[in-house]
Amino acid sequence: MIKITTPCRIHMTLIDMNGEIGRVDGGAGLTLSSPNIRITAEEAEEVSIEGLQGFADRMKKAAKTLLPEGKGIRINVQEVYPAHVGFGSGTQSSLAAAAAVNELYGLGKSVRELALTVKRGGTSGIGVTAFEKGGFIVDGGHKFKDKGGFMPSAASRVPPGPVLFREDFPDWDIVIAIPNEKGMHDQEEIDVFKEFCPLPIEEVREVAHMVLMKMMPAVIEGDIESFGAAVNHVQTVGFNKRESTIWPGFVKNIASLMRSRSYGAGVSSFGPVVYAFVDNREEGRQLQTEVQKMLDESVGGVTMMTRAKNSGAEVSKT
């Protein structure tokens, strides 16, 4: 039997949604130690997904793309987190199923090879690298001529972008709000890319400057004040700025509160997950309590306190 526990990721910013110099996408993101997707898997005559069913179709499809002819797999899903909220569940669930097949049948494929097979990472390479190595990640996007347009990962078939930077993240507490709503996905997501892109090159340069000269050094130096300031800044420019115009009111209110009570806060991907960085656990717990009250009085949901995960998915055989 194979046991796999995946991390999740928050996506902080896309970098270049202009394409003028020949590349698009690129982004910065962080691997979280929780929440997780946890599965067990064993050989079987057919393909079946048991237990929690949130990602059954996705996992079954991913498994089938890798299974040797005539072989099957039984996957038991023991723990999941919500889909379409900003945690990258599509990539993590697909890779979990693919990694289970890879281990059970000794296929010897790398994580990036698995990602290409199950068609993940077509816009952001953050989730794939989170599964592989964890940590804080900056990826370099794709050649525009290869991708052919501006589109989300689910609609793109190019391989994950190259990893430009991967660093262990400091041991800071991270307050997470998970509203009981879905972010944009599927056709809605595609339409947003079509509506807003290409973005002005000046904003791309501003985001790139902030990621390269503030966010990345702050991770290396353990400077939460500079890191938080960079997180706050990239919410106000580039693709994040456009996304913020279509956030529902409860997301805007939660993000505003969390930003005022932390070093930096942002909305992951299309949301509605909001994250904030703190260095005082007691203050973080108080913020968590206040955000939970906001959720209870609006759309419902849960809050949690977590930290970064500086290693990838845990895969073991018993």
Side-chain angles (χ1 to χ4, degrees):
M1 180 181 288
I2 302 296
K3 294 182 178 181
I4 298 177
T5 301
T6 79
C8 66
R9 63 95 179 109
I10 49 176
H11 197 280
M12 297 176 176
T13 184
L14 287 165
I15 295 175
D16 190 337
M17 303 309 291
N18 172 276
E20 183 178 294
I21 62 172
R23 295 191 77 85
V24 291
D25 307 325
L30 178 65
T31 313
L32 301 183
S33 58
S34 60
N36 306 104
I37 294 173
R38 187 163 51 90
I39 68 170
T40 61
E42 55 191 348
E43 294 183 29
E45 293 183 1
E46 298 179 342
V47 179
S48 64
I49 312 295
E50 301 173 353
L52 300 171
Q53 292 294 299
F55 304 113
D57 291 344
R58 189 184 296 278
M59 287 185 174
K60 185 175 287 189
K61 182 179 179 181
K64 285 181 174 179
T65 61
L66 283 151
L67 278 166
E69 189 173 351
K71 300 293 185 180
I73 188 171
R74 182 185 299 110
I75 294 175
N76 187 286
V77 184
Q78 300 177 328
E79 184 179 341
V80 293
Y81 45 80
H84 305 305
V85 298
F87 281 143
S89 62
T91 294
Q92 300 304 314
S93 59
S94 296
L95 286 177
V101 174
N102 191 48
E103 289 293 320
L104 278 175
Y105 291 104
L107 304 184
K109 291 184 178 291
S110 68
V111 171
R112 289 183 71 83
E113 288 172 329
L114 295 177
L116 185 57
T117 302
V118 300
K119 297 181 171 60
R120 299 305 303 181
T123 294
S124 167
I126 306 298
V128 174
T129 307
F131 188 94
E132 183 182 20
K133 298 177 180 177
F136 176 79
I137 305 149
V138 177
D139 80 271
H142 306 91
K143 292 180 180 176
F144 193 71
K145 65 180 179 63
D146 292 342
K147 189 167 182 182
F150 302 97
M151 63 193 80
S153 291
S156 175
R157 294 295 175 260
V158 290
V163 177
L164 306 180
F165 180 84
R166 185 266 162 211
E167 185 76 14
D168 280 359
F169 196 76
D171 199 22
W172 300 328
D173 286 315
I174 307 166
V175 178
I176 304 288
I178 312 171
N180 190 24
E181 291 281 349
K182 302 292 186 187
M184 278 186 295
H185 55 92
D186 299 333
Q187 190 60 47
E188 279 185 315
E189 204 176 24
I190 294 169
D191 291 344
V192 169
F193 276 81
K194 287 181 178 178
E195 178 183 355
F196 291 137
C197 300
L199 297 182
I201 190 64
E202 294 81 9
E203 293 190 46
V204 170
R205 290 167 180 158
E206 188 175 346
V207 173
H209 190 192
M210 191 60 50
V211 171
L212 179 63
M213 292 304 293
K214 194 154 194 169
M215 196 174 280
M216 289 163 57
V219 172
I220 293 172
E221 295 175 347
D223 180 354
I224 192 170
E225 188 172 343
S226 292
F227 186 82
V231 168
N232 287 339
H233 191 107
V234 298
Q235 303 302 305
T236 66
V237 68
F239 201 73
N240 282 350
K241 178 182 178 181
R242 275 70 184 178
E243 288 178 329
S244 70
T245 65
I246 50 180
W247 291 341
F250 69 87
V251 171
K252 293 178 182 179
N253 293 339
I254 291 169
S256 178
L257 173 68
M258 292 176 74
R259 187 167 297 115
S260 71
R261 299 281 297 280
S262 68
Y263 286 98
V267 177
S268 180
S269 191
F270 275 96
V273 159
V274 188
Y275 59 89
F277 297 92
V278 297
D279 65 353
N280 181 304
R281 177 152 293 195
E282 186 176 335
E283 291 177 4
R285 293 291 185 202
Q286 181 61 37
L287 176 58
Q288 187 182 351
T289 299
E290 293 183 29
V291 173
Q292 185 64 58
K293 183 180 179 184
M294 291 182 72
L295 288 174
D296 293 343
E297 293 173 350
S298 55
V299 297
V302 297
T303 61
M304 62 188 300
M305 190 178 291
T306 187
R307 292 189 177 185
K309 181 175 173 60
N310 289 319
S311 56
E314 298 163 18
V315 182
S316 60
K317 182 178 285 190
T318 58

